[in-house]
Amino acid sequence: MKLPSLKIRNLESRFPVIQAGMGVRIGNSVLAAATIRLGGYGTIASVGLGDIEKSKTDFANESNRVLAQEVKKARELCGGKKPLGVNIMIALSNYRELVEESVRSGVDFIISGAGLPLPLPEYVGNADIALIPVVSSGRALSVIVNAWKRKYDRAPDAVIVEGPQNGGHLGFTLEMIEHPETCSLEMIFQDVKKVMTDMGYDKIPILAAEMIASRSDIERVLAIGYDGVQVGTHFIASEEAGLDRKSKEVYVNAKREDVTVIKSPVGLPVRVLKTPLVNRVLSGNREKFSCPYRCLRTCNPGKVPFCIARALLATWKGDVENGLYMAGCNVEAMTKIYPLEEFFKTLED
Ligand SMILES: Cc1cc2nc3c(=O)[nH]c(=O)nc-3n(C[C@H](O)[C@H](O)[C@H](O)COP(=O)(O)O)c2cc1C
């Protein structure tokens, strides 16, 4: 079967693949530009971009400065090709500033989840940018589309459905995560499709984000009815991903039994690898830290067991002892560090 292209608003890519905007600094300008060149949607993760020292006194402006720089660099690296977007989590304290900076920087699309991105259309205004909420249930989507319609007369341009086995933060209860068969991508698709059809949005693409590591994985979710995929975990081991090689090796060597779920300072469960930091947290230790930025609206630095920003920066630097390694259930499919082109070549006819 020839894979279809992916049309979102006035954008189109050869393959139905969005590269997930993985923070911190994994989904950077280099990975996004490579994805666009190879025929997918490239996404820059907007979280944790700023210089650490400068962020201590001017967090929001410093984050904006580096985001604009990353967007510019990505455009240069792929010769101005589209579609280039950003991922901005609603849980971030500087959400509005990041959205407004993305508009100024002229991105093509914004993906927004980790909570309900209710004010996104207001912050984007009249800019010609595709808006793509991330949901894990038809109920969450219904709240978003009804609010957007009522307040802004705006529909989403695509919807991403994250399943219970995906990497990173999870919009499910622990009980559902233990029983993924009760909330599978197939089941969520039926609910999400119904919400979209009832709203008259039946032509708007719906994308699956969970455990996609090969062409056959893509074909499997297209057969359910999805229009494309968002790939996270599997792209972490690409040469182009922004993190240190030592951290890529941790992912490549990980086994399915190394994957676990802990409570994140974001306030949601998060799927991660059992690395030294996670083992310390699981045995009840609290990492001492002071927080000059308040990057998350939901985090209470006096109570949470560790600083997620510091832990994700440690992963980026290759500090295996202190890093947090977010990963999906398909981590074993990553068997080596590989050029991204190798994945995209398998999608050709
Ligand atoms: C290391 C890592 C970092 C992530 N960072 C973000 C992020 O900054 N914002 C976000 O909305 N989702 C984030 N995610 C979730 C991805 O966007 C994506 O939906 C998910 O990885 C798809 O499932 P998969 O990992 O099984 O491919 C992250 C996932 C991983 C594995």
Side-chain angles (χ1 to χ4, degrees), residues 57-168:
T57 51
D58 201 8
F59 175 65
N61 285 328
E62 174 58 10
S63 301
N64 278 359
R65 183 185 68 79
V66 185
L67 178 61
Q69 201 173 285
E70 278 290 283
V71 171
K72 187 163 174 274
K73 192 171 156 201
R75 290 274 193 223
E76 282 165 12
L77 287 173
C78 64
K81 255 186 101 182
K82 294 181 173 191
L84 171 66
V86 290
N87 175 296
I88 313 177
M89 291 183 289
I90 184 80
L92 297 175
S93 61
N94 57 333
Y95 181 75
R96 181 180 192 139
E97 287 89 341
L98 288 169
V99 172
E100 289 173 350
E101 185 59 54
S102 302
V103 172
R104 280 192 294 275
S105 298
V107 300
D108 305 318
F109 64 92
I110 296 178
I111 294 176
S112 194
L116 303 178
L118 297 178
L120 182 60
E122 180 185 335
Y123 300 163
V124 168
N126 293 326
D128 185 14
I129 297 179
L131 305 186
I132 310 177
V134 184
V135 296
S136 291
S137 67
R139 210 173 54 186
L141 180 65
S142 174
V143 174
I144 297 168
V145 291
N146 279 295
W148 284 15
K149 169 100 185 125
R150 197 179 59 247
K151 286 178 128 175
Y152 314 111
D153 196 20
R154 177 92 205 235
D157 297 289
V159 174
I160 295 177
V161 175
E162 285 187 341
Q165 304 187 81
N166 83 325

Side-chain angles (χ1 to χ4, degrees), residues 20-24 26 45-47 87-89 111-114 134 160 162 165-169 209-212 230-234 236 251 271 312 325-330:
M22 290 176 284
V24 164
I26 297 176
S46 64
V47 63
N87 175 296
I88 313 177
M89 291 183 289
I111 294 176
S112 194
V134 184
I160 295 177
E162 285 187 341
Q165 304 187 81
N166 83 325
H169 290 97
E210 181 190 68
M211 292 177 69
I212 303 293
Q230 175 174 258
V231 183
T233 302
H234 196 63
I236 300 175
Y251 279 106
R271 179 166 282 114
L312 293 174
Y325 291 77
M326 298 196 282
C329 288
N330 66 337

Side-chain angles (χ1 to χ4, degrees), residues 111-330:
I111 294 176
S112 194
L116 303 178
L118 297 178
L120 182 60
E122 180 185 335
Y123 300 163
V124 168
N126 293 326
D128 185 14
I129 297 179
L131 305 186
I132 310 177
V134 184
V135 296
S136 291
S137 67
R139 210 173 54 186
L141 180 65
S142 174
V143 174
I144 297 168
V145 291
N146 279 295
W148 284 15
K149 169 100 185 125
R150 197 179 59 247
K151 286 178 128 175
Y152 314 111
D153 196 20
R154 177 92 205 235
D157 297 289
V159 174
I160 295 177
V161 175
E162 285 187 341
Q165 304 187 81
N166 83 325
H169 290 97
L170 302 160
F172 299 92
T173 62
L174 288 177
E175 202 183 349
M176 291 164 101
I177 293 166
E178 271 170 33
H179 297 282
E181 71 286 357
T182 62
C183 46
S184 63
L185 279 184
E186 284 87 344
M187 294 160 102
I188 309 172
F189 181 77
Q190 299 306 329
D191 295 347
V192 162
K193 188 75 191 167
K194 180 166 185 337
V195 171
M196 296 301 269
T197 308
D198 289 352
M199 293 294 289
Y201 298 162
D202 36 346
K203 296 274 179 305
I204 293 173
I206 305 173
L207 311 161
E210 181 190 68
M211 292 177 69
I212 303 293
S214 66
R215 180 183 183 129
S216 58
D217 291 335
I218 298 175
E219 288 171 348
R220 175 174 47 81
V221 297
L222 292 181
I224 298 172
Y226 286 100
D227 299 287
V229 298
Q230 175 174 258
V231 183
T233 302
H234 196 63
F235 285 173
I236 300 175
S238 67
E239 297 279 2
E240 290 86 348
L243 69 174
D244 188 273
R245 202 169 179 89
K246 280 204 268 321
S247 284
K248 288 184 189 172
E249 278 160 7
V250 170
Y251 279 106
V252 167
N253 295 327
K255 298 272 168 289
R256 175 66 186 86
E257 56 271 25
D258 299 327
V259 179
T260 189
V261 174
I262 61 170
K263 197 167 172 243
S264 156
V266 170
L268 294 168
V270 63
R271 179 166 282 114
V272 292
L273 298 180
K274 275 188 229 155
T275 52
L277 168 72
V278 170
N279 288 330
R280 293 199 296 277
V281 169
L282 287 174
S283 34
N285 284 9
R286 188 167 179 273
E287 309 279 308
K288 287 205 175 61
F289 69 93
S290 62
C291 174
Y293 339 96
R294 304 304 300 260
C295 65
L296 293 170
R297 285 188 295 118
T298 42
C299 177
N300 179 346
K303 287 217 168 120
V304 296
F306 65 99
C307 167
I308 191 164
R310 210 164 68 160
L312 293 174
L313 273 171
T315 304
W316 168 71
K317 280 191 229 159
D319 174 358
V320 182
E321 196 60 31
N322 297 303
L324 185 73
Y325 291 77
M326 298 196 282
C329 288
N330 66 337

